[in-house]
Coordinates of all heavy atoms in Angstrom, one line a residue:
M998 N 30.2 34.9 157.0 CA 31.6 34.9 157.6 C 32.5 33.9 156.7 O 33.6 34.2 156.4 CB 31.6 34.3 159.0 CG 31.4 35.4 160.0 SD 32.6 36.8 159.9 CE 33.9 36.3 161.0
T999 N 31.9 32.8 156.3 CA 32.7 31.9 155.6 C 33.2 32.4 154.3 O 34.4 32.3 153.9 CB 31.9 30.6 155.3 OG1 31.3 30.2 156.5 CG2 32.7 29.5 154.7
S1000 N 32.4 33.1 153.6 CA 32.8 33.6 152.3 C 33.8 34.7 152.4 O 34.7 34.8 151.7 CB 31.6 34.2 151.5 OG 31.1 35.3 152.1
R1001 N 33.7 35.5 153.5 CA 34.7 36.6 153.7 C 36.1 35.9 154.1 O 37.1 36.4 153.5 CB 34.3 37.4 154.9 CG 35.2 38.6 155.1 CD 34.7 39.5 156.3 NE 35.8 40.1 157.0 CZ 36.4 41.2 156.7 NH1 36.0 41.8 155.5 NH2 37.4 41.7 157.3
R1002 N 36.1 34.9 154.8 CA 37.3 34.2 155.1 C 38.0 33.6 153.9 O 39.1 33.7 153.6 CB 37.1 33.1 156.1 CG 37.7 33.5 157.5 CD 37.2 32.6 158.5 NE 38.2 31.5 158.7 CZ 38.0 30.5 159.5 NH1 36.9 30.4 160.2 NH2 38.9 29.6 159.7
R1003 N 37.1 33.0 153.1 CA 37.6 32.4 151.8 C 38.2 33.5 150.9 O 39.3 33.3 150.3 CB 36.4 31.8 151.1 CG 36.7 30.5 150.5 CD 35.5 29.8 149.9 NE 35.6 29.7 148.5 CZ 36.5 28.8 147.9 NH1 37.2 28.0 148.6 NH2 36.6 28.8 146.6
F1004 N 37.6 34.6 150.9 CA 38.0 35.7 150.1 C 39.4 36.2 150.5 O 40.4 36.3 149.7 CB 37.1 37.0 150.1 CG 37.4 38.1 149.3 CD1 37.2 38.1 147.9 CD2 38.0 39.2 149.9 CE1 37.6 39.2 147.2 CE2 38.4 40.3 149.2 CZ 38.2 40.3 147.8
I1005 N 39.6 36.3 151.8 CA 40.9 36.7 152.3 C 42.0 35.7 152.0 O 43.1 36.0 151.8 CB 40.8 36.9 153.8 CG1 39.9 38.2 154.1 CG2 42.1 37.1 154.5 CD1 39.4 38.4 155.5
Q1006 N 41.6 34.4 152.0 CA 42.6 33.4 151.7 C 42.9 33.4 150.2 O 44.1 33.1 149.9 CB 42.0 32.0 152.0 CG 42.0 31.7 153.5 CD 41.2 30.4 153.8 OE1 40.5 29.9 153.0 NE2 41.4 30.0 155.0
I1007 N 42.0 33.7 149.3 CA 42.3 33.6 147.9 C 43.0 34.8 147.3 O 43.9 34.6 146.6 CB 40.9 33.4 147.1 CG1 40.4 32.0 147.4 CG2 41.1 33.6 145.6 CD1 38.9 31.8 147.0
V1008 N 42.7 35.9 147.8 CA 43.3 37.2 147.2 C 44.8 37.2 147.2 O 45.4 37.4 146.3 CB 42.7 38.4 147.9 CG1 43.5 39.7 147.6 CG2 41.3 38.6 147.3
P1009 N 45.4 36.9 148.4 CA 46.9 36.9 148.3 C 47.6 36.0 147.3 O 48.5 36.3 146.7 CB 47.4 36.6 149.8 CG 46.1 36.9 150.6 CD 44.9 36.6 149.7
L1010 N 46.9 34.8 147.2 CA 47.4 33.8 146.3 C 47.3 34.3 144.8 O 48.2 34.2 144.1 CB 46.6 32.5 146.4 CG 47.0 31.7 147.6 CD1 46.0 30.4 147.7 CD2 48.4 31.2 147.5
A1011 N 46.1 34.9 144.5 CA 45.9 35.4 143.1 C 46.9 36.6 142.8 O 47.5 36.6 141.8 CB 44.5 35.9 143.0
G1012 N 47.1 37.4 143.8 CA 48.1 38.5 143.7 C 49.5 38.0 143.5 O 50.1 38.5 142.6
A1013 N 49.9 37.0 144.2 CA 51.2 36.5 144.1 C 51.4 35.8 142.7 O 52.4 36.0 142.1 CB 51.5 35.4 145.2
A1014 N 50.4 35.2 142.2 CA 50.5 34.5 140.9 C 50.6 35.6 139.8 O 51.4 35.4 138.9 CB 49.2 33.6 140.7
M1015 N 49.9 36.6 139.9 CA 49.9 37.7 139.0 C 51.3 38.4 139.0 O 51.8 38.6 137.9 CB 48.8 38.7 139.2 CG 47.5 38.3 138.6 SD 46.1 39.3 139.3 CE 46.5 40.9 138.6
L1016 N 51.8 38.6 140.1 CA 53.1 39.2 140.3 C 54.1 38.3 139.6 O 55.0 38.8 138.9 CB 53.4 39.5 141.7 CG 52.9 40.8 142.3 CD1 53.2 40.9 143.8 CD2 53.4 42.0 141.6
A1017 N 54.1 37.1 139.9 CA 55.1 36.1 139.4 C 55.0 36.1 137.9 O 56.1 36.1 137.3 CB 54.8 34.7 140.0
G1018 N 53.8 36.0 137.4 CA 53.7 36.0 135.9 C 54.2 37.2 135.3 O 54.9 37.2 134.3
G1019 N 53.8 38.4 135.8 CA 54.2 39.7 135.3 C 55.7 39.8 135.3 O 56.3 40.3 134.4
H1020 N 56.3 39.3 136.4 CA 57.8 39.5 136.6 C 58.5 38.7 135.5 O 59.4 39.2 134.9 CB 58.1 39.0 138.0 CG 59.6 39.3 138.4 ND1 60.0 40.5 138.4 CD2 60.6 38.4 138.6 CE1 61.3 40.5 138.8 NE2 61.6 39.3 138.9
A1021 N 58.0 37.4 135.3 CA 58.7 36.6 134.3 C 58.6 37.2 132.9 O 59.6 37.2 132.2 CB 58.0 35.2 134.3
A1022 N 57.5 37.8 132.6 CA 57.3 38.4 131.2 C 58.2 39.6 131.1 O 58.8 39.8 130.1 CB 55.9 38.7 131.0
A1023 N 58.3 40.3 132.2 CA 59.1 41.6 132.1 C 60.6 41.3 132.0 O 61.3 42.1 131.5 CB 58.8 42.4 133.4
Q1024 N 61.0 40.1 132.4 CA 62.4 39.8 132.3 C 62.9 39.5 130.9 O 64.0 39.7 130.6 CB 62.7 38.6 133.2 CG 62.9 39.0 134.6 CD 63.3 37.8 135.5 OE1 62.8 36.7 135.2 NE2 64.0 38.1 136.6
A1025 N 61.9 39.0 130.1 CA 62.3 38.6 128.7 C 62.6 39.8 127.9 O 61.9 40.7 127.9 CB 61.3 37.7 128.1
P1026 N 63.8 39.9 127.3 CA 64.1 41.1 126.5 C 63.4 41.2 125.2 O 62.9 40.2 124.7 CB 65.7 40.9 126.2 CG 65.9 39.4 126.3 CD 64.9 38.9 127.2
M1027 N 63.2 42.4 124.8 CA 62.5 42.6 123.5 C 63.4 42.2 122.4 O 64.7 42.4 122.4 CB 62.1 44.1 123.3 CG 61.1 44.6 124.3 SD 59.5 43.8 124.2 CE 58.9 44.5 122.6
V1028 N 62.8 41.7 121.3 CA 63.6 41.4 120.1 C 64.1 42.7 119.5 O 63.4 43.7 119.4 CB 62.7 40.6 119.1 CG1 63.5 40.5 117.7 CG2 62.4 39.3 119.6
D1029 N 65.4 42.7 119.2 CA 66.0 43.9 118.5 C 65.9 43.7 117.0 O 66.2 42.7 116.5 CB 67.5 43.9 118.9 CG 68.2 45.1 118.4 OD1 67.7 45.8 117.4 OD2 69.3 45.4 118.9
E1030 N 65.3 44.8 116.4 CA 65.1 44.7 114.9 C 66.4 44.5 114.2 O 66.4 44.0 113.1 CB 64.5 46.1 114.4 CG 63.1 46.2 114.8 CD 62.5 47.5 114.3 OE1 63.1 48.2 113.5 OE2 61.4 47.9 114.8
N1031 N 67.5 44.8 114.8 CA 68.9 44.7 114.2 C 69.5 43.3 114.5 O 70.6 43.0 114.0 CB 69.8 45.8 114.6 CG 69.3 47.1 114.1 OD1 68.9 47.2 112.9 ND2 69.2 48.1 115.0
D1032 N 68.8 42.5 115.2 CA 69.3 41.1 115.5 C 69.3 40.4 114.2 O 68.4 40.5 113.4 CB 68.3 40.5 116.5 CG 68.6 39.1 116.9 OD1 69.3 39.0 117.9 OD2 68.1 38.2 116.2
P1033 N 70.4 39.6 113.9 CA 70.4 38.9 112.6 C 69.2 38.1 112.3 O 68.7 38.2 111.1 CB 71.7 38.0 112.7 CG 72.5 38.6 113.8 CD 71.5 39.3 114.7
Q1034 N 68.6 37.4 113.2 CA 67.4 36.6 113.0 C 66.2 37.5 112.7 O 65.4 37.2 111.8 CB 67.1 35.6 114.1 CG 66.0 34.6 113.8 CD 65.4 33.9 115.0 OE1 65.9 34.1 116.2 NE2 64.3 33.2 114.9
A1035 N 66.1 38.6 113.4 CA 65.0 39.5 113.2 C 65.1 40.2 111.9 O 64.1 40.2 111.1 CB 65.0 40.6 114.3
K1036 N 66.4 40.5 111.5 CA 66.5 41.1 110.1 C 66.2 40.1 109.1 O 65.6 40.5 108.1 CB 68.0 41.5 110.0 CG 68.3 42.9 110.6 CD 69.6 43.4 110.1 CE 69.5 44.9 109.9 NZ 70.7 45.6 109.8
A1037 N 66.6 38.9 109.2 CA 66.3 37.9 108.2 C 64.8 37.7 108.0 O 64.3 37.5 106.9 CB 67.0 36.6 108.6
L1038 N 64.1 37.8 109.1 CA 62.7 37.7 109.0 C 61.9 39.0 108.8 O 60.7 39.0 108.6 CB 62.1 37.1 110.3 CG 62.4 35.5 110.5 CD1 62.2 35.1 111.9 CD2 61.6 34.6 109.6
G1039 N 62.7 40.0 108.7 CA 62.0 41.3 108.4 C 61.2 41.8 109.6 O 60.3 42.6 109.4
Y1040 N 61.6 41.4 110.8 CA 60.8 41.8 112.0 C 60.9 43.4 112.2 O 62.0 43.9 112.2 CB 61.3 41.1 113.3 CG 60.7 41.7 114.5 CD1 59.4 41.4 114.9 CD2 61.4 42.5 115.3 CE1 58.8 42.0 116.1 CE2 60.9 43.1 116.5 CZ 59.6 42.9 116.8 OH 59.0 43.4 117.9
V1041 N 59.8 44.0 112.4 CA 59.8 45.4 112.8 C 58.8 45.5 114.0 O 57.8 44.8 114.1 CB 59.3 46.3 111.7 CG1 60.4 46.6 110.7 CG2 58.1 45.8 110.9
A1042 N 59.1 46.4 115.0 CA 58.3 46.6 116.1 C 57.0 47.3 115.7 O 56.0 47.3 116.5 CB 59.0 47.3 117.2
D1043 N 57.0 48.0 114.6 CA 55.8 48.7 114.1 C 55.5 48.2 112.7 O 56.2 48.5 111.7 CB 56.2 50.2 114.1 CG 55.0 51.1 113.6 OD1 54.0 50.5 113.1 OD2 55.2 52.3 113.5
A1044 N 54.4 47.5 112.6 CA 54.1 46.9 111.3 C 53.9 47.9 110.1 O 54.0 47.5 109.0 CB 52.8 46.0 111.4
T1045 N 53.6 49.1 110.4 CA 53.4 50.1 109.3 C 54.8 50.4 108.7 O 54.8 51.0 107.6 CB 52.8 51.4 109.9 OG1 53.7 52.0 110.8 CG2 51.4 51.2 110.5
K1046 N 55.9 49.9 109.3 CA 57.2 50.2 108.8 C 57.7 49.0 108.0 O 58.9 48.9 107.6 CB 58.2 50.5 109.9 CG 57.7 51.7 110.8 CD 58.7 52.7 111.0 CE 58.2 54.1 111.5 NZ 57.7 54.0 112.9
V1047 N 56.9 48.0 107.7 CA 57.3 46.8 107.0 C 57.9 47.3 105.6 O 57.3 48.1 104.9 CB 56.1 45.8 106.8 CG1 56.5 44.7 105.7 CG2 55.8 45.2 108.1
D1048 N 59.0 46.6 105.2 CA 59.5 46.9 103.8 C 58.6 46.2 102.8 O 58.7 45.0 102.6 CB 61.0 46.3 103.8 CG 61.6 46.6 102.4 OD1 60.9 47.0 101.5 OD2 62.9 46.4 102.4
R1049 N 57.7 47.0 102.2 CA 56.7 46.4 101.3 C 57.3 45.8 100.1 O 56.7 45.0 99.4 CB 55.6 47.5 101.0 CG 54.9 48.1 102.2 CD 53.8 47.2 102.9 NE 52.7 46.9 102.0 CZ 51.6 47.6 102.0 NH1 51.4 48.6 102.8 NH2 50.6 47.2 101.2
N1050 N 58.4 46.3 99.6 CA 59.1 45.9 98.4 C 59.6 44.5 98.7 O 59.6 43.6 97.8 CB 60.2 46.9 98.0 CG 59.6 48.1 97.5 OD1 58.6 48.2 96.8 ND2 60.3 49.2 97.8
R1051 N 60.2 44.3 99.9 CA 60.8 43.0 100.2 C 59.7 42.0 100.7 O 59.9 40.8 100.4 CB 61.8 43.3 101.4 CG 62.7 42.1 101.6 CD 63.7 42.5 102.7 NE 64.3 41.3 103.3 CZ 64.7 41.2 104.6 NH1 64.7 42.3 105.4 NH2 65.1 40.1 105.1
F1052 N 58.7 42.4 101.3 CA 57.7 41.5 101.8 C 56.3 41.8 101.2 O 55.5 42.4 101.8 CB 57.6 41.5 103.4 CG 59.0 41.3 104.0 CD1 59.7 42.2 104.6 CD2 59.4 39.9 104.0 CE1 60.9 41.9 105.2 CE2 60.7 39.6 104.6 CZ 61.4 40.6 105.2
K1053 N 56.1 41.3 100.0 CA 54.9 41.5 99.3 C 53.7 40.9 99.9 O 52.5 41.2 99.6 CB 55.0 41.0 97.8 CG 56.3 41.5 97.1 CD 55.9 42.4 96.0 CE 57.1 42.9 95.1 NZ 57.5 44.2 95.4
Q1054 N 54.0 39.8 100.8 CA 52.8 39.1 101.4 C 52.2 40.0 102.6 O 51.1 39.6 103.0 CB 53.3 37.8 102.0 CG 54.1 37.8 103.3 CD 55.6 37.9 103.0 OE1 56.1 38.6 102.1 NE2 56.4 37.2 103.8
Y1055 N 52.9 41.0 103.0 CA 52.3 41.8 104.1 C 51.1 42.5 103.7 O 51.0 43.1 102.6 CB 53.4 42.9 104.6 CG 52.8 43.9 105.5 CD1 52.5 43.5 106.8 CD2 52.4 45.1 105.1 CE1 51.9 44.5 107.7 CE2 51.8 46.1 105.9 CZ 51.6 45.7 107.2 OH 51.0 46.7 108.0
A1056 N 50.1 42.5 104.5 CA 48.9 43.2 104.3 C 48.6 44.1 105.5 O 48.7 43.6 106.6 CB 47.7 42.3 104.0
P1057 N 48.2 45.3 105.3 CA 47.9 46.2 106.4 C 46.8 45.5 107.4 O 45.9 44.8 106.9 CB 47.2 47.4 105.8 CG 47.9 47.5 104.4 CD 48.0 46.0 104.0
G1058 N 47.0 45.7 108.7 CA 46.1 45.0 109.6 C 46.8 43.8 110.2 O 46.4 43.3 111.3
Q1059 N 47.8 43.3 109.6 CA 48.6 42.1 110.1 C 49.6 42.6 111.2 O 50.4 43.5 110.9 CB 49.4 41.4 109.0 CG 48.5 40.8 107.9 CD 49.4 40.1 106.9 OE1 50.6 40.2 106.8 NE2 48.7 39.3 106.0
V1060 N 49.4 42.2 112.4 CA 50.2 42.5 113.5 C 50.5 41.3 114.4 O 49.7 40.3 114.3 CB 49.7 43.7 114.4 CG1 49.8 45.0 113.7 CG2 48.3 43.4 114.7
C1061 N 51.5 41.4 115.2 CA 51.8 40.3 116.1 C 50.6 39.8 116.9 O 50.4 38.6 117.1 CB 53.0 40.6 117.0 SG 54.5 40.8 116.1
T1062 N 49.8 40.7 117.4 CA 48.7 40.4 118.3 C 47.6 39.5 117.6 O 46.9 38.8 118.3 CB 48.0 41.6 118.9 OG1 47.7 42.5 117.9 CG2 48.9 42.3 119.9
N1063 N 47.6 39.5 116.3 CA 46.6 38.6 115.6 C 47.4 37.6 114.8 O 46.8 37.0 113.9 CB 45.6 39.4 114.8 CG 46.2 40.3 113.6 OD1 47.2 39.9 113.1 ND2 45.6 41.4 113.4
C1064 N 48.6 37.3 115.2 CA 49.4 36.2 114.5 C 49.2 34.9 115.4 O 49.1 35.0 116.6 CB 50.8 36.6 114.5 SG 51.9 35.3 114.0
A1065 N 49.2 33.8 114.7 CA 49.0 32.5 115.4 C 50.2 32.2 116.4 O 50.1 31.4 117.2 CB 48.9 31.4 114.3
L1066 N 51.3 32.8 116.1 CA 52.5 32.5 116.9 C 52.7 33.4 118.1 O 53.6 33.3 119.0 CB 53.8 32.6 116.1 CG 53.8 31.7 114.9 CD1 54.8 32.0 113.9 CD2 53.9 30.2 115.3
W1067 N 51.8 34.4 118.3 CA 51.7 35.3 119.4 C 51.3 34.6 120.6 O 50.4 33.8 120.6 CB 50.7 36.4 119.1 CG 50.4 37.4 120.2 CD1 49.2 37.4 121.0 CD2 51.2 38.5 120.6 NE1 49.3 38.5 121.8 CE2 50.5 39.2 121.6 CE3 52.4 39.0 120.2 CZ2 51.0 40.3 122.2 CZ3 52.9 40.1 120.8 CH2 52.2 40.8 121.9
Q1068 N 52.1 34.7 121.7 CA 51.9 34.0 123.0 C 51.2 34.8 124.0 O 51.0 34.3 125.1 CB 53.2 33.4 123.5 CG 53.7 32.4 122.5 CD 55.1 31.9 122.8 OE1 55.9 32.5 123.5 NE2 55.5 30.7 122.3
G1069 N 50.8 36.0 123.8 CA 50.2 36.8 124.7 C 48.7 37.0 124.5 O 48.1 36.3 123.7
K1070 N 48.1 37.9 125.2 CA 46.7 38.3 125.1 C 46.6 39.3 123.9 O 47.6 40.0 123.7 CB 46.1 38.8 126.3 CG 46.1 37.8 127.5 CD 45.3 38.4 128.7 CE 45.8 39.5 129.4 NZ 46.9 39.3 130.3
P1071 N 45.4 39.4 123.2 CA 45.3 40.3 122.2 C 45.6 41.7 122.6 O 46.0 42.6 121.8 CB 43.9 40.2 121.7 CG 43.5 38.8 122.2 CD 44.2 38.6 123.4
T1072 N 45.5 42.1 123.9 CA 45.6 43.4 124.4 C 47.1 43.7 124.9 O 47.3 44.8 125.3 CB 44.6 43.7 125.5 OG1 44.7 42.6 126.4 CG2 43.2 43.8 124.9
D1073 N 47.9 42.7 125.0 CA 49.3 42.9 125.5 C 50.1 43.7 124.6 O 50.0 43.6 123.4 CB 49.9 41.5 125.7 CG 49.4 40.7 126.9 OD1 48.8 41.3 127.7 OD2 49.7 39.5 126.9
A1074 N 50.9 44.6 125.2 CA 51.8 45.5 124.4 C 52.9 44.7 123.8 O 53.5 45.1 122.8 CB 52.3 46.6 125.3
A1075 N 53.3 43.6 124.6 CA 54.4 42.8 124.1 C 54.3 41.4 124.7 O 53.6 41.3 125.7 CB 55.8 43.4 124.5
A1076 N 54.8 40.4 124.0 CA 54.6 39.0 124.5 C 55.6 38.1 123.7 O 56.2 38.6 122.8 CB 53.2 38.6 124.3
G1077 N 55.7 36.9 124.2 CA 56.5 36.0 123.6 C 56.0 35.6 122.2 O 54.8 35.8 121.8
C1078 N 56.9 35.0 121.4 CA 56.5 34.6 120.1 C 57.3 33.3 119.8 O 58.5 33.2 120.2 CB 57.0 35.6 119.1 SG 57.1 35.0 117.4
A1079 N 56.7 32.3 119.2 CA 57.3 31.0 119.0 C 58.6 31.1 118.2 O 59.5 30.2 118.2 CB 56.3 30.0 118.4
I1080 N 58.7 32.1 117.3 CA 59.8 32.3 116.4 C 61.1 32.8 117.2 O 62.1 32.5 116.7 CB 59.4 33.2 115.3 CG1 58.3 32.6 114.4 CG2 60.6 33.6 114.4 CD1 58.7 31.5 113.4
F1081 N 60.8 33.6 118.2 CA 61.9 34.2 119.0 C 61.8 33.7 120.4 O 61.4 34.5 121.3 CB 61.8 35.7 118.9 CG 61.8 36.3 117.5 CD1 60.7 36.7 116.8 CD2 63.1 36.5 116.9 CE1 60.7 37.2 115.6 CE2 63.1 37.1 115.6 CZ 62.0 37.5 114.9
P1082 N 62.3 32.5 120.7 CA 62.2 31.9 122.0 C 63.0 32.7 123.0 O 64.1 33.2 122.7 CB 62.7 30.5 121.9 CG 63.2 30.3 120.5 CD 62.9 31.5 119.7
G1083 N 62.4 33.0 124.2 CA 63.1 33.7 125.3 C 63.1 35.2 125.1 O 63.7 35.9 125.9
K1084 N 62.4 35.7 124.1 CA 62.3 37.1 123.9 C 60.9 37.5 123.7 O 60.0 36.7 123.6 CB 63.1 37.5 122.6 CG 64.6 37.2 122.8 CD 65.4 38.1 122.0 CE 66.9 37.9 122.3 NZ 67.7 37.9 121.1
R1085 N 60.7 38.8 123.7 CA 59.3 39.3 123.5 C 59.3 40.2 122.2 O 60.3 40.8 121.9 CB 58.9 40.2 124.7 CG 58.6 39.3 125.9 CD 58.1 40.2 127.1 NE 59.1 41.2 127.3 CZ 58.7 42.5 127.8 NH1 57.5 42.8 128.0 NH2 59.7 43.3 128.0
V1086 N 58.2 40.1 121.5 CA 58.0 40.9 120.4 C 56.9 42.0 120.7 O 56.1 41.8 121.6 CB 57.6 40.1 119.1 CG1 58.8 39.2 118.7 CG2 56.3 39.3 119.3
A1087 N 56.9 43.0 119.9 CA 55.9 44.2 120.1 C 54.5 43.8 119.5 O 54.5 43.2 118.4 CB 56.4 45.5 119.5
G1088 N 53.5 44.1 120.3 CA 52.1 43.8 119.8 C 51.8 44.3 118.4 O 51.3 43.7 117.6
P1089 N 52.2 45.6 118.2 CA 52.0 46.2 116.8 C 53.0 45.8 115.8 O 53.1 46.3 114.7 CB 52.0 47.7 117.0 CG 52.3 47.9 118.5 CD 52.8 46.6 119.1
G1090 N 53.9 44.8 116.1 CA 55.0 44.4 115.3 C 54.6 43.4 114.1 O 53.4 43.1 114.0
W1091 N 55.6 43.0 113.4 CA 55.3 42.1 112.3 C 56.6 41.4 111.8 O 57.6 42.0 111.9 CB 54.7 42.8 111.1 CG 54.2 41.9 109.9 CD1 53.0 41.3 109.8 CD2 55.0 41.5 108.8 NE1 52.9 40.6 108.6 CE2 54.2 40.7 108.0 CE3 56.3 41.7 108.4 CZ2 54.5 40.2 106.8 CZ3 56.7 41.2 107.2 CH2 55.8 40.4 106.4
C1092 N 56.5 40.2 111.4 CA 57.6 39.6 110.6 C 57.1 38.7 109.6 O 55.9 38.4 109.5 CB 58.6 38.9 111.7 SG 58.1 37.1 111.9
S1093 N 58.0 38.2 108.7 CA 57.6 37.5 107.6 C 57.1 36.0 107.9 O 56.6 35.4 107.0 CB 58.7 37.4 106.5 OG 59.9 36.8 107.1
A1094 N 57.2 35.6 109.2 CA 56.7 34.3 109.6 C 55.2 34.5 110.0 O 54.6 33.6 110.4 CB 57.5 33.8 110.7
Y1095 N 54.7 35.7 109.9 CA 53.3 36.0 110.2 C 52.3 34.9 109.6 O 52.3 34.5 108.5 CB 52.9 37.4 109.7 CG 51.4 37.6 110.0 CD1 51.0 38.2 111.3 CD2 50.4 37.3 109.1 CE1 49.7 38.5 111.5 CE2 49.0 37.6 109.4 CZ 48.7 38.2 110.6 OH 47.4 38.4 110.9
A1096 N 51.5 34.4 110.5 CA 50.4 33.5 110.1 C 49.2 33.9 110.9 O 49.1 34.0 112.1 CB 50.8 32.1 110.5
K1097 N 48.1 34.2 110.1 CA 46.9 34.7 110.7 C 46.3 33.7 111.7 O 46.3 32.5 111.5 CB 45.8 34.9 109.6 CG 44.7 35.8 110.1 CD 43.7 36.1 108.9 CE 42.4 36.6 109.4 NZ 42.4 37.6 110.5
K1098 N 46.0 34.3 112.9 CA 45.4 33.4 113.9 C 44.1 32.8 113.4 O 43.2 33.6 112.9 CB 45.1 34.3 115.2 CG 45.0 33.6 116.5 CD 44.9 34.5 117.6 CE 46.2 34.7 118.2 NZ 46.1 35.5 119.5
P1099 N 43.9 31.5 113.5 CA 42.6 30.9 113.0 C 41.4 31.4 113.8 O 41.5 31.8 114.9 CB 42.9 29.5 113.2 CG 44.0 29.3 114.1 CD 44.8 30.6 114.2
Ligands
SF4_1568 FE1 55.0 38.7 115.3 FE2 54.0 36.5 114.3 FE3 56.3 37.3 113.5 FE4 56.1 36.4 115.9 S1 55.8 35.2 114.0 S2 57.2 38.3 115.3 S3 54.0 37.1 116.5 S4 54.3 38.3 113.2

């Protein structure tokens, strides 16, 4: 009986925390590739579209989800990035501030 009661007490709290977290993340707008800062950094939502002539340091396989500045989980479709505060970048994206996650 005790464990069942405990379960009932914990579940609504966990659900509320997940909803609150998801809601906050959903509110942050996505970085626009045409935003001046995004353009300056060569940000693209799809790393396969990186301008290889302009950004010679880009190597296939580099994406936001494996960048040290990525603030989400490796499986997130979009998340915050330290370079673009208050906004979200696309998981398969890339910009010239890319730094491989250690
Ligand atoms: Fe993506 Fe990293 Fe550039 Fe942020 S700094 S946009 S996570 S590549």
